[in-house]
Amino acid sequence: MSEVVYEETATMIAAGELQSFVPFGREHCRNHPNAFNLQLRELQPASELWASDGAAGLVGSLQEVSLQEREREFWQLRKGCKGVKEEDVEFEEELYAAGNVVVWSQGSRAQASSVYKAFTVDSPVQQALWCNFAAPHKKNDDEEVELTVCIVQSSCVNVHTMTGKDFISPLPFQVSNVWATKFGLLMERKNTANDAHFSPPGEPLPTVFSMLHPLDEIAPVVCKPAGLFEGSRVQYVSDSAMKIVFTCCQPSIVVSYDTVQGIHSVWTLRKVTHDERSTVLRCPAEPVGTPLGLMASGFLTSHLRNVSRHDSPGGTGPSGSPLHYSALHSHQSRIVSSSPGTHSRVHSPSISNMAALSRAHSPGMAAPSFSGVARFNTSLHSSSPRGHHGLLASPNSTINETVLVPEMEPIIPDLCMEQLWSEAVTAGSNREMSSQASKVFLTSDLCENHYLCFLVESHQQLRCVKFIESNDTSQLIFPSVTTIPAKDAEPLQSIDAMLVLEACGSLVLYTGITRVSKVFVPGLLSPSFSLTNHLPHRSTPVETVSTPANAGSRHLQRLDEDAMPSPVTGLRGPNIKHHDASFLEDYTFQPATPYINALRDPVCNRVTLVGFLLRKCLEAIRFILPKEAAMKVLVKWYNIYNAPGGPSAHTEWSLFVTCFMTLMGYNTERLTWTRNDWDYLMGSHYHRQMNFLPVATSLDASSPPSPSLKLDSSAPLFPHIPALFYVLHLLYQELQLDELQRARASSLVCLLQQLARDLQLEEYVDLYWRDYPSIISGFTESCLIDQALICQMQRPSFLRPEPPCVFSWLSSCLRGEESPPFPYLPGICQRTRLLVVSYALYVIGDENATSTDVSKYLAKLSAGFFPLISLVCMFSRQSSVKVMSSSENLAEQLVVWLTSQGFTLKDLESVPFGVALPIREAIYRCREQPCSDWSEEVCLLIGRQDLTKQAHKMTLAKSKSVSSGLSLEPPATTEPDEEEDGMSDIVQEVTGLIWSQDLRVQEVRRLLQSSRPVRVSVVQLPEVSDHEYIEEKENKLLQLCQRTMALPVGRGLFTLFSYHPVPTEPLPVPKLNLTGRALPRNTVVDLNSGNIDVPPNMTSWPSFHNGVAAGLKIAPASQVDSAWIAYNKPKSPELANEYAGFLMALGLNGHLTKLATLNIHDYLTKGHEMTSIGLLLGVSSAKLGTMDMSITRLLGIHIPALLPPTSTELDVPHNVQVAAVIGIGLVYQGTGHRHNAEVLLSEIGRPPGPEMEYCTDRESYSLAAGLALGMVCLGHGSNLIGMTDLNVPEQLYQYMVGGHRRAQAGANRERHKSPSYQIKEGDTINVDVTCPGATLALAMIYLKTNNRSIADWLKPPDTLFLLDFIKPEFLLLRTLARCIIMWDEILPNTIWVKSNIPQIMRGTFDPSEDINMETMAQAQDYITAGACLALGLRFAGSANSDAFDCLYSLARTHMTIMSFAGTHTFYNLQTCLSMILLAMSMVMSGTGNLKVLQLCRFFHKRTGGEMNYGFHMAHHMALGLLFLGGGRYTLSTSNSAIAALLCALYPHFPAHSTDNRYHLQALRHLAVLAAEPRLLVPVDVDSLKPCYALLEVTYKETKWYDETTVELMAPTLLPELQLLKRVKVKGPRYWELSVDLSKETQHLKSILSRDGVLYVKLRAGQLPYKDDPQGWKSLVATTVNHRSSGVKAFKPEAISTFTSEPALVSFAELFCKTSEGMKHREDTLVLFSAMLYECVTQECPEMLPTYIAIEQAVSALRRGDLLQTFPLWQLRLVVELWDSRMQRGPANRRDTLLTSEFLPVMKNAVDATLDSWLKENSSVLRTYMKGEALSKDTQSIMLACFLVYRSIPYLKNAHTQLEGCSSLGDLLLLSSQLGIPLRDLLRLVPVLLGSASGPHTLLGFPLQAF
């Protein structure tokens, strides 16, 4: 065994104070009312007790709660795993169990513990543990993890999930131990003595079982031992000597101990593969010779079978659970193994499928599933009688039975344990040599090596087994074992270390197997003092072997004052593995790693607070070094860092530098810059400058170094110096890219320049000097390294002489030059990677930069070699780059990619301004034209709050059905009279925007309110007596009540889906008020006075409608549950009808699906007719088109035709039958279900029965059957699959025109044998009954099919003779049916309407003929009405102006005719008018059109005797449709909607309020099914108030019109989405936003369904339309009017009206206003104002910091007080981006962010400054190029600035070539070699060619030209 690798010199580190530990649960249990629980048990029936002592009941329990409780306590701690994103709160959780109670508590250092949950169970808790179960998702394959607590009792396991589900899984055998694994629970069966009784010789039963989910089978586990001898045989785990000592989820492993051989093994736990399953379950053909084979096959099965019958706790008879039980029936296949201890026997049952048990049961249904495995119940105590064949019969069975049932389903194993490693067997298999590990844990060291450690207490050693994941990560490899002497140990996860208690009692910190140091714990006696004094029995029960976690706050010493030493610590055998020796955790070692906490003050907090720079350095060092070397560094650093007394923050870095350089072999005492006092060293750069600069003599070589400055080549890190230098250089480059960390780079540069000098890497030194000229000039020392030693250093291939500089790389990208891939350290230089790839994608334009081509741009360093691939790519790159694809596309790709990398706006702010500019530009482009379907994060990054909010809404909606939480809440009204009309929930904010000019919504409310008494004005004539006068008033009131009773139908449509109910209050239902007030005295008029006859039951249907109207207010998104629906049930029986309506409404808005089946059953059994109607229609509407079986059964009971002919005659009221028939139509809508179609077809012509049944109101039943048939076959036309033999169209035609009745076929023949005694119909069809249903069924089956042959059947008769045979009403229906079949021929003009009237009616009539003109007129009216209705359906919800004009003119014509027609034609004309009005309101649905409203109001006022209930209903329905849902909804023209409208608007309205003869009144409400939300409401994202916005809507091309674009002012109703191509929010006021509907409409649909809220954002400088309708007040407009320069006209005070960004407002306030102090800086103010103006008008406020930064950099350069060249790098990048854009042509100017003159001005200023410097100091540049020492220091700073800005490379060696250049031509030739841009080279010409020609002219060119 390898010994400890590297022993650090004796050091000691300090730990925090000790605190005593008492488990929180113990405190809680003292106050827990545990004993009360027992009294509750008496109340439960014995069958419900899960405990096995069910019979013993209370007595047993009282015995259990004895004094032993104290000794049965145990606990387990772990790190809290709550996913708190904002701040990862560290807390710890404790699971404490004692007696029958389990307490789960949470607490942290910061806050005290609190109980999270406490569980009390019925029998003593044997074990409590946390476990995660994976439940497969219903829809997709991924698994949902359920976090649970499992409580093991003797007979069952209780599982409680975090989400609140509870399961109880009975245990089929006694369990010795339960373990949590990645897949679920593992259970070890207790070996009982009587195993032998029914275990056949050599056939052990399995010992380890798995349970993957509380609802799953308990299945045996199979194992695959790694033996050469056996091959890898798969077998059940049945070795009773094998004990599990540890399980772990990540990686998924199990550690076991063989008690016979005394060795530990490690197994990986995984799902079983198919092959292994079949191996284990296979049946060999021949049973093995002896009778044993036969016996074994029957044995398990019968044993299991019988246990299931008699002994399962709670099983009843053979079917203890609803499943078939599988069982193991095994044939024997024996393998004798030579090793004495291992029993390897294999069961091979035959394969069968496990009964799949759905995990989706609701927790309440988690009945005990005793399944196959459950038969291993070892509680059969009597020994079994042996049969003479050696067959074994269970005690309760006969031998016959045993033999007869051998073939049952086997149990299919779920998990397999595959052996990975086991200890080497010690010599002589000596039992004493080893004993079971008392604790096992995983730990890792600082270099990410992982170890599995187990503590063998008897030997006082800790064995650490290193393991690595193999390449395919599925396998673990265990290369080596190390032993550390220890009495105990605990891992400390957060710092990758473990704490070991040595035998002498001292605590030592190890990282992996490397010893770090001793731990000094204040308050403990020194280790030399024997610990045994106060720790007599240190025992750690095996239970506590669990994966420890950072338990936040437990402190070191857990001294339990009241804990008695346990008497049984010596026996570590498996039998007392439980907590007999439990809570004496006197010392620290609890799974909760108290240690961490012990060390937490100095370690945890500090290690995380170690400076960012330091942490990065350590990561880089660890990355590049071999593991052993890295370990040395980290251990050394750890010791220095945590030495008692600890460092203070600011010396941290210098400590590190010293430590690091010492390890490399430097003598830090002798180096000037590391020698000085710590505090002084960390002084400011300024300080250092002041000290060093005067001393600085030359740039690189100083006076010959003193010999003492040599490196010690024996130092551990000496060979690795080059590699370390390189990774630190890359880290330095990374820091340069982060504004927040750049300051730290200057600390790092000191270290780097020293290393670079000593490695003689001059170009690196030059680079550092260029970056920090003021600092580097001060350093001159270098340390010599012997040439001989240099060979010892490992110079990695990746260390090149030219230094990688990230800025120059990005700069060459912008200039379009090639450059090699940039090296980066994975995981450490993330920012470098991100920016390099972004530039490659966006600037170079390589679309694959993020995917396949990464290696062209990034060279990933891996420890020790340079990736060859990237070398190859280096030069082939240019060719493969595709031509610039459209930049919009690249910008989108970049933004989406950055988001996917987790890059946010906050990160962007810390990117230096020059580097960030291209990214900002991409963001700006995307902001202008975003995609509507981007995720929330992308929208956040591009700064579109409107889209972000929208996306956030969508994600919320996906996660849970939230009611749309917009601020569009209805106003809270105060006046009581407002409250009760039921219409107060219409959102005023939106309606006020849609109809801003008038009060039409209030008018509609006035017309539709039914809760206040009506005004009865009757003048008392002189000759009328008082009594007659009262009668007259009451008759007048009766007429008015006809109108009041019809109002609710309209009100339901008006208030549709406008209210979110409060779950704790019942729904307010406005009452139906049928009283009146008589003028002038305001006396009450009442119908119940008995003076006049009032029809009975007059109000029953109106109150039903009133209930529907109230229920329809509830929005589909509300939270409604079964309990709330039942809670609304009224107490008084007279409100039952209202409740029935309420139920129907809940079905229409989809909430009735939540009503429990039990409640539905309750309501139906009451036998209340209205409730049944409402419920059946409601449930069917909610399950529209789903073919739901349970609903079908529900409806079938109410339809005699669907019941078998022999069934009992149920007495179902006629109207309920009608409702049930329509229900079938709804549930099977559009499915073409054959059986239902057949039944409904025959039901249309159902003959009247012999008695009174089926004789009344037959018309409504026949119509319902027709409508239902039409719905089932909706739109199928002639392709009705499998129904050709039914001849549906022919049969319907016969019903329509009459003829002989066909014989009834099928099941209902018996029913209709004897004819009716009431009605003589003969054997012909009664067309008056069957025609309407058949006509509409044909219309719906052939809806929109344009089938001319069917349409011709429906033509009106073309001879006068035939005309007399057909009712005018049927003419209306036929015309309607014909038109909607010929859907595409409907045209919105009067000519088309007239074309439906046959020729004979249109011509002039010969007066001699006997023609009844009235018949003619009537037929014409009805045909016109039918055509209008069809027109209304065709253009429903489209607000088509042609259709509206056509219908409106027809309505006016009819009204004119009506004004002088006689009363005898009134009914026909009024019917016709009502139909036209309904058609009009369908077309204008939701728009609230004023002309239609006036017509509705006109009819509302007519209450004469001839205006009956039905007409009022039609007119108010029209009014409701006109304002559907308060203007938020409109009608759809989908097939389903047309079917619903045909049911609802059937043109025969009831004559009085109880009339259901022709059409069931309840069906009028089905119009709701045709409503769809299409109102788009723009909401300002800043104020969250609805506002106006201009939309551009583009229609797709159709055969009637080309692609057209219209502008609409939203809020507006959109046209139907399938007609649209694109919807776009237009500028210039709001940010543009386009929703492309040609791709997918789902996004827009979900917006519309959530109140239609579309978030929009005002552009800066714009005002909303409400405040500025014409757009004359905008910021841009004002500047144009003033005709002066924009800057002057812009007053900073005006800023607040144009932008809400607080930063900009404050900037204007503080920097753009003239104040006293700013007087002398007038120009600066103007400049700032100009910047602000540009940012606001260009709509990129985030550019303001960039503008300011550029300005500051330029002014600092001019003043000459720059200390570093970083700002010039940024300026150079900005200029290069600008140039690259300009080269592409002026067309690209608009793309750039810096558009104004600002940049050229700044650029000129820089050029001028540098040129004038050069003119005066050209000698300085020459000196530098010759490589001589530089003089004055300010010159060196300016020189560095010049070199950086002019992109002049390191020229030290080039100056000789340059000397030879005599002409410009030579220079130009060299320029490409040198890599200096031409423009910058020309600036150098005067210096290089000597100043022969004047500096300002060059060969006659003025220099300024370049």
Side-chain angles (χ1 to χ4, degrees), residues 445-479:
D445 65 20
L446 293 164
C447 290
E448 293 172 353
N449 294 315
H450 299 285
Y451 297 91
L452 171 77
C453 306
F454 46 97
L455 181 74
V456 182
E457 222 166 54
S458 57
H459 291 234
Q460 295 207 346
Q461 13 169 265
L462 181 68
R463 298 183 190 158
C464 303
V465 188
K466 181 172 173 179
F467 64 89
I468 9 182
E469 292 193 346
S470 62
N471 298 338
D472 57 353
T473 67
S474 57
Q475 284 291 321
L476 298 176
I477 304 166
F478 291 83

Side-chain angles (χ1 to χ4, degrees), residues 191-199 378-382:
N191 285 338
T192 42
N194 51 2
D195 257 6
H197 287 308
F198 33 71
S199 181
T378 50
S379 58
L380 306 175
H381 293 303
S382 52

Side-chain angles (χ1 to χ4, degrees), residues 773-785:
S774 57
I775 297 178
I776 302 293
S777 317
F779 293 111
T780 51
E781 302 174 278
S782 55
C783 297
L784 287 187
I785 304 177

Side-chain angles (χ1 to χ4, degrees), residues 573-585:
N575 307 335
I576 54 157
K577 195 179 285 183
H578 272 309
H579 308 287
D580 317 324
S582 67
F583 47 85
L584 274 173
E585 303 294 349

Side-chain angles (χ1 to χ4, degrees), residues 1274-1438:
L1274 185 59
H1276 279 254
S1278 308
N1279 35 354
L1280 281 169
I1281 310 297
M1283 289 196 213
T1284 37
D1285 58 326
L1286 292 182
N1287 294 332
V1288 179
E1290 291 80 358
Q1291 179 71 48
L1292 289 173
Y1293 182 64
Q1294 195 187 9
Y1295 282 145
M1296 202 167 70
V1297 296
H1300 278 276
R1301 176 178 291 124
R1302 302 187 185 174
Q1304 279 284 328
N1308 296 315
R1309 197 172 0 183
E1310 296 303 309
R1311 252 186 208 162
H1312 304 306
K1313 230 177 359 196
S1314 51
S1316 166
Y1317 307 142
Q1318 304 288 329
I1319 300 175
K1320 283 276 169 274
E1321 269 197 342
D1323 52 1
T1324 51
I1325 290 171
N1326 181 345
V1327 183
D1328 287 342
V1329 173
T1330 59
C1331 177
T1335 311
L1336 288 178
L1338 265 179
M1340 285 155 83
I1341 294 173
Y1342 287 92
L1343 177 64
K1344 298 185 188 175
T1345 54
N1346 300 309
N1347 183 325
R1348 196 168 294 284
S1349 52
I1350 299 286
D1352 288 345
W1353 288 356
L1354 296 162
K1355 272 206 167 132
D1358 44 9
T1359 65
L1360 298 175
F1361 177 71
L1362 288 174
L1363 192 60
D1364 279 346
F1365 282 93
I1366 186 163
K1367 282 167 85 172
E1369 231 174 75
F1370 295 173
L1371 279 174
L1372 190 161
L1373 288 174
R1374 283 189 188 186
T1375 310
L1376 169 62
R1378 194 173 110 248
C1379 295
I1380 63 175
I1381 289 174
M1382 303 303 293
W1383 184 259
D1384 290 343
E1385 291 188 0
I1386 301 179
L1387 297 172
N1389 53 42
T1390 26
I1391 302 163
W1392 176 82
V1393 175
K1394 293 277 192 302
S1395 71
N1396 286 288
I1397 301 172
Q1399 202 53 47
I1400 48 159
M1401 297 187 201
R1402 280 190 263 178
T1404 49
F1405 301 109
D1406 185 353
S1408 62
E1409 285 181 40
D1410 177 24
I1411 293 172
N1412 184 344
M1413 290 305 286
E1414 214 166 284
T1415 313
M1416 279 297 177
Q1418 201 180 359
Q1420 266 197 5
D1421 286 346
Y1422 274 93
I1423 289 175
T1424 309
C1428 289
L1429 212 50
L1431 187 62
L1433 289 167
R1434 171 72 175 85
F1435 293 100
S1438 68

